[in-house]
Amino acid sequence: AVQLVESGGGSVQAGGSLRLSCAAFGSYFPPCMGWFRQAPGKEREGVASINTSWGDGDYADSVKGRFTISRDNAKSTLYLQMNGLKPEDTAIYYCAAHNTYCSDRAWSGAADFRYWGQGTQVTVSS
């Protein structure tokens, strides 16, 4: 089993930046990890995903060019650098992982992710 713990959320003004971290605790660093978010009254949506052994991130159109997903395998930690934040980015952000390699657009398939963190709040004011 894998336990995921997010950190780094907070409140910023529009145009600002935040970096979220997700530490993975367990016997291995999961091969596919992603970030999801859920705003009040809205369904959970995928943000980005990455294979932890290789490759660049894969992003939802809504964040492409502003957010960057990355990982530090030595620290078993996943990151989400968020730049150019907008009020519509306000949500609880969740880290998730599953035990097979990411397919294309893995972030669009939340049901495939087995392990989830507790979430961290990101609030962007205008």
Side-chain angles (χ1 to χ4, degrees):
V2 175
Q3 183 181 5
L4 304 175
V5 180
E6 301 103 333
S7 60
S11 298
V12 295
Q13 291 191 325
S17 298
L18 283 173
R19 188 176 81 155
L20 305 183
S21 299
C22 172
F25 297 94
S27 58
Y28 61 97
F29 195 32
C32 176
M33 298 189 73
W35 288 99
F36 296 80
R37 66 186 183 185
Q38 188 165 19
K42 294 188 176 181
E43 293 186 354
R44 181 176 52 191
E45 64 171 346
V47 174
S49 52
I50 190 168
N51 280 299
T52 57
S53 296
W54 78 87
D56 299 324
D58 196 6
Y59 301 90
D61 288 344
S62 58
V63 305
K64 199 172 293 183
R66 299 187 298 123
F67 291 10
T68 303
I69 188 171
S70 63
R71 74 276 193 259
D72 184 333
N73 290 28
K75 295 181 179 180
S76 295
T77 299
L78 180 75
Y79 301 99
L80 185 69
Q81 177 66 45
M82 305 185 293
N83 299 328
L85 283 161
K86 304 175 181 180
E88 51 264 43
D89 294 318
T90 295
I92 299 174
Y93 283 71
Y94 298 91
C95 169
H98 69 74
N99 289 328
T100 58
Y101 291 115
C102 292
S103 59
D104 288 344
R105 298 170 58 87
W107 51 264
S108 63
D112 295 330
F113 286 77
R114 178 175 182 180
Y115 305 107
W116 290 82
Q118 81 287 354
T120 186
Q121 177 70 47
V122 171
T123 302
V124 185
S125 58
S126 58

